[in-house]
Amino acid sequence: MIMINGVLVSAGKGGVYGEKMLKGHRVWDPYRSKLAALVMLGVDIDLNDQMKVLYLGAANGTTVSHVADYVDSVYAVEFAPRPMQDLIEVARRRKNVIPIMADANQPGIYAPMMEAVDLLYQDVAQSNQVEIALKNLPFLKSGGTLILMLKTRSVDVRKTPEEVFKSSVEELESAGLSVDSVTWLDRYQRDHAAIVCTYGAGGVGGSSKKSAT
Ligand code: SAM
């Protein structure tokens, strides 16, 4: 990941959502992007130009646009019409973004246009977040990485964030994922835990250390 004077940036054409520029690079703001928050909190995320990414919950493409600056291609799934309009504009300007208007609960709809991916990234704030991630797991290569931005309050407001997190991790582990790190994003984003997992044996992505911050 590119840091300039302690600021996370990506190398791409600016003017996507009014982001600042720094020495010709796009500033990637951790207050606007959970993935940027995760990196700024010290988690080593590998994004490189060989990677294919399936991104669930693309919204208007803020984070998608930065991810696309780093990787080979991003399949960006979003089901709401309004943000989809902005996402299409992002895709018009970044040829490696493939916008898909679909419900991530129904991956069979976009399966025909998919290829295997190295990273499955999910930020959907739904009550069945883990279920959605598991439904999309067949697209992830063995050894690939899942980054789940778990919004605990969306899962069950009657449970504490820790309870929601614990049961979510148990579900992920029973589906063959090993949890590499868990990071609460509170400094930048409330009520979110970023769970980074490796799928199957031999992992190529993510960190091997187990941490809870
Ligand atoms: N990841 C975005 C970013 O960092 O720029 C922000 C995502 S926003 C918190 C969550 C998005 O997920 C919303 O745009 C919402 O419409 C979308 N979403 C929620 N459930 C979805 C589903 N089942 N399928 C597709 N998109 C979904």
Side-chain angles (χ1 to χ4, degrees):
M1 305 293 264
I2 311 167
M3 304 287 284
I4 300 177
N5 301 334
V7 177
L8 180 65
V9 298
S10 66
K13 197 163 182 298
V16 177
Y17 58 95
E19 70 276 28
K20 291 184 182 150
M21 300 298 288
L22 181 62
K23 296 186 178 174
H25 289 69
R26 303 174 62 222
V27 171
W28 193 353
D29 184 349
Y31 291 96
R32 298 191 65 161
S33 166
K34 293 168 201 105
L35 185 52
L38 182 60
V39 173
M40 291 308 292
L41 288 168
V43 177
D44 183 20
I45 300 298
D46 178 32
L47 293 181
N48 64 63
D49 61 7
Q50 305 295 307
M51 289 175 75
K52 297 178 189 307
V53 178
L54 173 56
Y55 191 121
L56 306 175
N60 53 9
T62 300
T63 301
V64 165
S65 68
H66 287 287
V67 173
D69 288 343
Y70 279 96
V71 305
D72 176 76
S73 44
V74 184
Y75 294 86
V77 176
E78 172 56 52
F79 72 175
R82 180 64 193 87
M84 192 66 193
Q85 288 175 16
D86 293 339
L87 181 63
I88 288 169
E89 181 58 21
V90 170
R92 200 179 60 76
R93 301 171 65 178
R94 277 178 170 67
K95 299 300 176 201
N96 62 342
V97 173
I98 302 107
I100 301 172
M101 188 165 177
D103 184 345
N105 277 295
Q106 297 183 291
I109 291 175
Y110 45 89
M113 66 182 84
M114 285 298 304
E115 58 187 323
V117 297
D118 306 280
L119 171 63
L120 172 58
Y121 180 88
Q122 179 178 305
D123 178 17
V124 296
Q126 294 286 356
S127 59
N128 65 334
Q129 288 164 76
V130 172
E131 184 189 359
I132 291 175
L134 298 187
K135 281 182 179 175
N136 283 272
L137 219 43
F139 299 120
L140 187 60
K141 292 176 187 171
S142 177
T145 302
L146 165 69
I147 302 179
L148 175 61
M149 294 301 178
L150 182 73
K151 187 170 186 183
T152 51
R153 292 186 69 79
S154 298
V155 175
D156 191 340
V157 283
R158 294 162 303 175
K159 292 185 179 165
T160 66
E162 288 72 21
E163 285 170 334
V164 171
F165 153 73
K166 188 169 175 289
S167 59
S168 301
V169 164
E170 282 166 7
E171 276 183 77
L172 293 168
E173 289 182 334
S174 33
L177 289 149
S178 57
V179 174
D180 298 326
S181 69
V182 175
T183 308
W184 292 92
L185 304 181
D186 287 31
R187 193 188 305 170
Y188 299 105
Q189 315 261 347
R190 292 188 58 175
D191 297 325
H192 279 86
I195 306 176
V196 181
C197 309
T198 300
Y199 184 42
V204 292
S207 151
S208 59
K209 67 181 184 301
K210 212 161 184 145
S211 65
T213 54

